[in-house]
Amino acid sequence: MKSIYDFSYDQLIEMCLANDFKKYNANQIFSWLYRKRVTDYDKMTDISKNLRQFLKENYSIGTLETLQLQISKDSTRKYLFRLADGSSIEAVLMHYDYGNCICVTTQVGCNMGCTFCASGLLKKQRDLTSGEMVQQVLTVQKDIDQSDKRISHIVVMGTGEPFDNYDNVINFLNTVNHDLGLGIGARHITISTCGLAEGIRRFAQEKTQYNLAISLHAPNNEIRNQIMPINKAYPIEKLMEALKYYTSINNRRLSFEYILLQGVNDTDSCVDQLVELTRDFDVYVNLIPYNRVDEKGYVSTDYKSAMAFYDRLMRKNVRCTLRQKMGDDIDAACGQLRSKYEREKINE
Ligand code: SAH
């Protein structure tokens, strides 16, 4: 059964009209779903019995089942959800000074094969539907409704490659962004990609205000090929071309994500090459301490060397931050909780 959360606002209007209901019914439904956040059609009291019955018969409703919730010392909340088909996925909520940010999963497993990442330990089984992404946000929002908190930011940085599930991801963002619903501002939403050039070009044409982050992680093809197999299909030159196209029609600032892996991508020469790559862009570099994944051999660059990397970048006038580590006591790195859970299930 299709989920009611699969409909963006515009699609909900179309659906209502196509079934001889009224346009304003879409407003009512949207508001019940995302403002009042009910999970039962019978609670939509200003909607006719007839329409409620129609919705019940055709579209599923409800939050995701929470299999596990881990809360870290810094109050990061990591959820493991079960989907209707039994798949499990993760979402993480992080509290910052500027607001509450949810990290959303886009696929069950991932095929990009980055050698440092836990998500790829389990290959992609399927894309998530738009509704399943919306449900992650809604389920977490309902959980924190009790403490009067509001999700203000979204990063599409959970398991999966968003541009490998393009239409559903854009539909999801348009749904949670809509003013009549959750109203999460486009400028507060960031999509992160490992660098699928066609996706970047397509995204440029959307002309939305969503932010784009690129998981760069290496300043040249030699290192990038080693740690991100996708680089063989879209080497750095192709990626940069796509980014130039993006910035030429969409005046938004970019960010480059750069995980610091000891002895792999953290030398002075790496800094200098990275500086060259940033030259053509209004770009912000996020240096990220690596969250250790037991199955992978990598170690994070130590704090002192990370600071030295950061200083060298700053001295060369590249705007950057050294991101603080959050939730590393609760398996908050992409895919860690899920891969542990799935493994334990297999071992049972
Ligand atoms: N496929 C998308 C989004 C999911 S990954 C992408 O590649 O951007 C989100 C970010 O987390 C990426 O920058 C990814 O490289 C990074 N990441 C993956 N495993 C990590 C780990 N163990 N520690 C720190 N960052 C990690």
Side-chain angles (χ1 to χ4, degrees), residues 236-262:
I236 290 183
E237 309 75 63
K238 278 211 173 133
L239 174 57
M240 294 299 146
E241 254 170 50
L243 291 176
K244 274 184 199 151
Y245 175 73
Y246 174 80
T247 50
S248 73
I249 57 174
N250 192 324
N251 218 3
R252 308 280 300 138
R253 183 206 272 167
L254 285 175
S255 42
F256 287 168
E257 311 285 307
Y258 198 100
I259 302 180
L260 288 165
L261 299 167
Q262 192 174 72

Side-chain angles (χ1 to χ4, degrees), residues 148 201 265 299 343 345:
D148 268 339
R201 285 171 190 276
N265 63 357
V299 179
R343 228 173 328 160
K345 230 170 46 181

Side-chain angles (χ1 to χ4, degrees), residues 163-216:
F163 287 166
D164 185 37
N165 184 14
Y166 189 95
D167 291 328
N168 289 341
V169 167
I170 297 296
N171 204 56
F172 149 63
L173 293 180
N174 292 342
T175 305
V176 292
N177 170 240
H178 203 282
D179 281 349
L180 294 177
L182 292 166
I184 300 173
R187 286 161 181 266
H188 288 184
I189 294 176
T190 302
I191 303 189
S192 179
T193 176
C194 64
L196 302 189
E198 284 111 41
I200 294 170
R201 285 171 190 276
R202 227 179 130 187
F203 187 58
Q205 285 153 8
E206 304 276 345
K207 301 213 172 88
T208 52
Q209 301 285 310
Y210 305 132
N211 303 301
L212 181 62
I214 307 298
S215 295
L216 190 62

Side-chain angles (χ1 to χ4, degrees), residues 28 37-38 62 79 109 134 160-161 187 191 222 253 266 315:
Q28 293 172 312
R37 303 196 260 281
V38 302
Y79 298 80
V134 172
E161 167 49 45
R187 286 161 181 266
I191 303 189
E222 198 192 332
R253 183 206 272 167
D266 61 352
R315 279 202 307 274

Side-chain angles (χ1 to χ4, degrees), residues 132-146:
E132 286 168 331
M133 292 180 259
V134 172
Q135 276 182 305
Q136 293 172 54
V137 177
L138 203 55
T139 306
V140 173
Q141 180 58 60
K142 276 180 74 77
D143 186 28
I144 64 173
D145 272 342
Q146 299 154 0

Side-chain angles (χ1 to χ4, degrees), residues 98-102 141 150-154 183-185 188-189:
Y98 56 75
N100 303 305
C101 177
I102 185 175
Q141 180 58 60
R150 173 179 174 266
I151 296 174
S152 55
H153 291 68
I154 295 180
I184 300 173
H188 288 184
I189 294 176

Side-chain angles (χ1 to χ4, degrees), residues 27-41:
N27 280 34
Q28 293 172 312
I29 298 169
F30 208 72
S31 166
W32 281 112
L33 291 176
Y34 300 114
R35 287 270 170 98
K36 297 168 199 119
R37 303 196 260 281
V38 302
T39 50
D40 177 350
Y41 291 119

